[in-house]
Amino acid sequence: PKTDIVFLKVHKSASSTVMNILFRFGETHNLTFAFPVGGGNQLYYPHHFLARFVQGFSPRSPQPFNILCHHMRFLQPEVQKVVSRSAVYFSILRNPVQLMESSFMYYKSTSAFSRAHSLEEFLSQPYLYYNPSSGDRHYARNLMAFDFGFNPDAEASAKRVQLMLKAIEASFDLLLISEYFDESMVLLKEMLCWDLDSVVFFPLNSRDSSTKATLSATTVEKIKDWNRLDWAIYTHFNKTFWERIDRDFGRERMQREVRALRERQAELAGICLQGMGSVAPKDIKDSSLRPLQHGSAKILGYNIKEGLDKETERMCRRLVTPELQYSSALYKKQFAHKPP
């Protein structure tokens, strides 16, 4: 199994669920995480990543960390200073249309979105609300391109798009697609040589459907146009995702593996969860399992069955612990002996 991993956690793309998978694997195998200095949950985002943002990094005696997975703005030469040369790099993408709808709800208080009453209103005259020089502008335009380290306001010329795609291809071994999350997990498991239970998941940080907006065809086109760089990234890597499945896997084997993943998931839901699924934040009984609520989105969570034996309870709890709580528990564990 591969243990040296860089995951570029792209915002609003099911990346919290992926992070839970990495946290569980790292904890089980006693791996070290490249935590932000002081134990926050972002590596000085939205600044480009620098090695010195990592707790315990020292340029004089650089010791590689196993897993780098907290929010960062990608800058590979700096990333290479904190992980081993053989690290596997992967990230996850989401259709920019849904991504922007989610971003608008989640980051409603940012400068670009706060004065617009609706996403439609914002898109009708984006430059009325959007200021290319404001520090939080990236939440409102080409958020994926920004997370990969590019300028979200760059002109989407054919040449620039080609260079951007080539740069991403050169840096990353695999790009997952959040709309095909199960297939993504199968590819990830294969690439990392992990077992099925390592990639089993319950969706984390997902919104209650009551806070999701339905978009008109006109709005969809406007979103694609406004996020041209993101649209180029998504369409290109969605295509190569399926090419990879056809080349390395075949659709039939992929279907079999996805079925096995879903069966195992259903089995674990039966063992672990009260009521088999996610619940509204107000219905989460254990406050330590309540995810952070942000913007006007309602973030769902889980209740674990009572009366489980210790070992099972620990496994179930790991599967449903929200990102911030899990991250801070692992941070405390990693730095227990040496106070930061």
Side-chain angles (χ1 to χ4, degrees):
K2 302 228 186 336
T3 53
D4 294 317
I5 292 160
V6 174
F7 170 54
L8 177 64
K9 186 176 189 294
V10 170
H11 285 76
K12 312 309 317 141
S13 304
S15 55
S16 296
T17 307
V18 177
M19 207 165 176
N20 176 271
I21 287 167
L22 295 173
F23 281 166
R24 280 168 18 221
F25 188 86
E27 185 180 18
T28 307
H29 295 84
N30 220 4
L31 304 177
T32 56
F33 289 89
F35 283 108
V37 169
N41 62 319
Q42 302 202 341
L43 290 150
Y44 288 76
Y45 187 86
H47 298 285
H48 273 105
F49 176 80
L50 296 175
R52 61 183 170 82
F53 297 164
V54 173
Q55 176 90 39
F57 170 77
S58 148
R60 286 180 301 286
S61 56
Q63 259 189 315
F65 293 85
N66 297 118
I67 298 178
L68 174 60
C69 63
H70 286 73
H71 273 309
M72 64 170 160
R73 189 171 181 210
F74 191 65
L75 186 60
Q76 191 158 16
E78 288 290 318
V79 168
Q80 286 167 332
K81 294 176 185 176
V82 300
V83 293
S84 95
R85 294 173 66 157
S86 60
V88 175
Y89 286 70
F90 77 100
S91 186
I92 187 163
L93 305 172
R94 184 182 184 185
N95 185 317
V97 175
Q98 278 71 47
L99 179 70
M100 187 160 196
E101 186 273 328
S102 176
S103 198
F104 185 81
M105 294 300 281
Y106 206 80
Y107 302 114
K108 189 71 184 81
S109 59
T110 57
S111 58
F113 290 151
S114 59
R115 291 176 301 117
H117 293 103
S118 65
L119 186 52
E120 284 72 16
E121 189 179 306
F122 172 84
L123 291 161
S124 65
Q125 294 173 286
Y127 284 108
L128 190 65
Y129 306 101
Y130 179 84
N131 177 356
S133 63
S134 79
D136 60 1
R137 77 192 191 288
H138 51 281
Y139 291 118
R141 186 176 204 189
N142 290 313
L143 181 50
M144 292 194 288
F146 183 87
D147 286 355
F148 278 98
F150 303 102
N151 174 6
D153 295 305
E155 186 212 344
S157 65
K159 189 177 176 194
R160 186 185 290 273
V161 165
Q162 275 317 103
L163 287 169
M164 179 178 69
L165 297 176
K166 279 204 162 61
I168 295 173
E169 258 165 5
S171 300
F172 288 85
D173 300 292
L174 176 64
L175 287 155
L176 308 175
I177 303 287
S178 66
E179 284 78 14
Y180 304 105
F181 198 82
D182 294 352
E183 291 83 354
S184 292
M185 289 306 100
V186 171
L187 286 183
L188 186 65
K189 169 172 84 79
E190 185 82 354
M191 181 178 73
L192 298 175
C193 306
W194 288 7
D195 62 9
L196 182 65
D197 271 14
S198 297
V199 298
V200 163
F201 63 92
F202 295 146
L204 294 176
N205 208 25
S206 51
R207 274 187 302 157
D208 183 347
S209 54
S210 71
T211 59
K212 291 180 186 173
T214 318
L215 306 171
S216 69
T218 319
T219 303
V220 167
E221 289 313 310
K222 281 181 179 169
I223 292 175
K224 289 181 195 173
D225 191 51
W226 177 245
N227 297 281
R228 270 195 212 160
L229 297 175
D230 274 10
W231 186 247
I233 292 172
Y234 180 77
T235 49
H236 176 79
F237 288 107
N238 185 28
K239 188 164 150 273
T240 59
F241 178 84
W242 290 101
E243 285 167 359
R244 185 178 187 136
I245 289 174
D246 290 335
R247 187 185 69 232
D248 301 349
F249 249 82
R251 300 279 170 120
E252 272 181 48
R253 179 180 161 209
M254 178 51 86
Q255 281 173 344
R256 277 201 309 277
E257 298 251 355
V258 164
R259 202 161 47 240
L261 177 67
R262 286 176 183 162
E263 281 165 8
R264 181 62 180 139
Q265 226 151 321
E267 190 183 338
L268 285 171
I271 294 168
C272 293
L273 303 180
Q274 290 181 24
M276 295 292 283
S278 53
V279 296
K282 63 175 177 32
D283 299 323
I284 301 167
K285 295 175 188 136
D286 180 343
S287 61
S288 72
L289 296 178
R290 192 170 295 141
L292 174 76
Q293 301 299 313
H294 206 293
S296 49
K298 258 198 216 131
I299 308 299
L300 304 171
Y302 297 91
N303 286 317
I304 290 178
K305 279 186 177 165
E306 286 162 17
L308 300 171
D309 65 78
K310 254 204 173 75
E311 195 52 38
T312 310
E313 194 199 356
R314 202 169 83 213
M315 171 195 70
C316 294
R317 187 170 270 279
R318 280 177 176 177
L319 276 161
V320 303
T321 299
E323 174 189 329
L324 301 188
Q325 288 93 310
Y326 209 154
S327 181
S328 100
L330 291 173
Y331 176 81
K332 284 185 189 124
K333 194 167 153 187
Q334 189 166 310
F335 296 104
H337 316 300
K338 27 188 194 282

